[in-house]
Amino acid sequence: MNTPRLHSRSLGALFLLPFFAYGIGTALVTSVLKEPEHLAVLAGQRTPFVVGALLLLLNSLMVVGIGVLFFPILRERSPSVALAYVCTRVMEALVLTVGVVFLLCILQLGESARGQTTPELVTLLELLSKGNFWAYQLAMIILGVGSVAFCLSLYRSRLLPSLLPLVGAVGYGLLALGAVLELFGLPWGILFSGPGGLFELFLGGWLIAKGFRTVTPSVAA
């Protein structure tokens, strides 16, 4: 199997760019929502909020792109894993998009406040913020659970150094566990997401710099 360098570099870029898109988008949105009691001023901060939300949507599109570009690579070794991984990335993107919808509802809520901030409005804002939080954690559970088989398939294919996909399988498992703990009120998600995040960063850099190994079916068997 010989994956074109452009294909592998595109995949590498899609693993790296979402970190910037989601990170910057989250920072912009959070900067506006850092003081829920000032709901009425949201209308005056529409631009950074909308830009942040658009970056979060861009992240969702790139997530789907990862699954689509990996499909022909995985299909040669395991069609079922290839299809499952595409579905995993699509479901992740859809749930993340639901989270963005919650954020846009917050913006609409702020614009309808008309300079007034009532306890009811603040409570509704907090519920919508929580909805975005829950959507993110659910997306991470989907990504973590669905990507373990993906990493094991990469390990069997020998397209990457053996240690890399094994680290990825463990990292994604921990990511899903951390998200479950977050849903139960245990703030360990960031700690548990570290290995999976580092795997994606390293995988993206590896694909850009070196690409996939050339492996013939007879050697991989």
Side-chain angles (χ1 to χ4, degrees), residues 70-91:
F70 249 117
F71 181 78
I73 298 172
L74 296 174
R75 182 178 54 189
E76 296 192 9
R77 300 292 172 176
S78 179
S80 60
V81 172
L83 180 59
Y85 188 62
V86 172
C87 293
T88 293
R89 287 297 190 169
V90 170
M91 290 173 63

Side-chain angles (χ1 to χ4, degrees), residues 115-158:
Q116 298 180 355
T117 302
T118 65
E120 293 79 11
L121 288 175
V122 172
T123 299
L124 185 54
L125 180 147
E126 292 174 347
L127 287 175
L128 291 171
S129 297
K130 207 63 168 178
N132 175 63
F133 170 80
W134 289 331
Y136 175 79
Q137 300 304 333
L138 180 58
M140 293 304 99
I141 293 173
I142 293 170
L143 172 62
V145 172
S147 296
V148 172
F150 156 74
C151 288
L152 294 178
S153 180
L154 286 180
Y155 172 77
R156 290 191 298 267
S157 70
R158 303 181 185 177

Side-chain angles (χ1 to χ4, degrees), residues 59-61 63-64 88-98 139:
N59 168 78
S60 297
L61 290 175
V63 159
V64 174
T88 293
R89 287 297 190 169
V90 170
M91 290 173 63
E92 176 197 358
L94 288 175
V95 176
L96 288 175
T97 301
V98 171

Side-chain angles (χ1 to χ4, degrees), residues 3 16 19 21 26 43 50 66 87 92-93 99 118 140 149 157 166 178 210 214:
T3 304
L16 296 177
F19 281 91
T26 300
V50 170
I66 291 174
C87 293
E92 176 197 358
T118 65
M140 293 304 99
S157 70
L166 290 179
K210 296 181 177 295
T214 300

Side-chain angles (χ1 to χ4, degrees), residues 8-31:
S8 62
R9 285 173 177 166
S10 298
L11 262 173
L14 285 178
F15 270 102
L16 296 177
L17 290 176
F19 281 91
F20 295 99
Y22 198 89
I24 296 173
T26 300
L28 289 172
V29 170
T30 303
S31 68

